[in-house]
Amino acid sequence: GCRNQALEDEIIKYGGKVKKGITKNINVLIVKDKSATSGKITKAEELNIEILNMSEFRGKYLWLGIL
């Protein structure tokens, strides 16, 4: 899930899926602070998953209406 319900709603609105865990099937990990350390960030880095903060994600994906 996502801690930001409004962002989660936007992702779903544009056809994206919100997942709880990190797997090789995840395209983007959205985080509050990219410099923070967490198990999810570490695993995403190991799997070469793109890590974006919320504003980066909105700027890259949502303004286009795609995910």
Side-chain angles (χ1 to χ4, degrees):
C2 181
R3 292 183 184 180
N4 183 316
Q5 188 62 49
L7 181 58
E8 184 174 330
D9 292 344
E10 285 182 82
I11 292 168
I12 293 167
K13 174 182 173 182
Y14 290 109
K17 295 179 182 175
V18 177
K19 302 288 185 178
K20 290 184 181 184
I22 301 296
T23 69
K24 64 181 181 172
N25 298 322
I26 300 293
N27 297 315
V28 178
L29 173 63
I30 305 166
V31 296
K32 185 183 271 188
D33 179 4
K34 288 173 33 174
S35 65
T37 55
S38 75
K40 285 184 178 182
I41 290 173
T42 300
K43 186 156 187 180
E45 290 171 339
E46 291 170 358
L47 295 172
N48 294 316
I49 294 170
E50 184 175 23
I51 302 169
L52 300 173
N53 65 35
M54 289 182 233
S55 61
E56 290 171 331
F57 178 78
R58 282 190 175 104
K60 184 169 183 177
Y61 293 98
L62 294 181
W63 75 272
L64 296 172
I66 62 169
L67 293 171

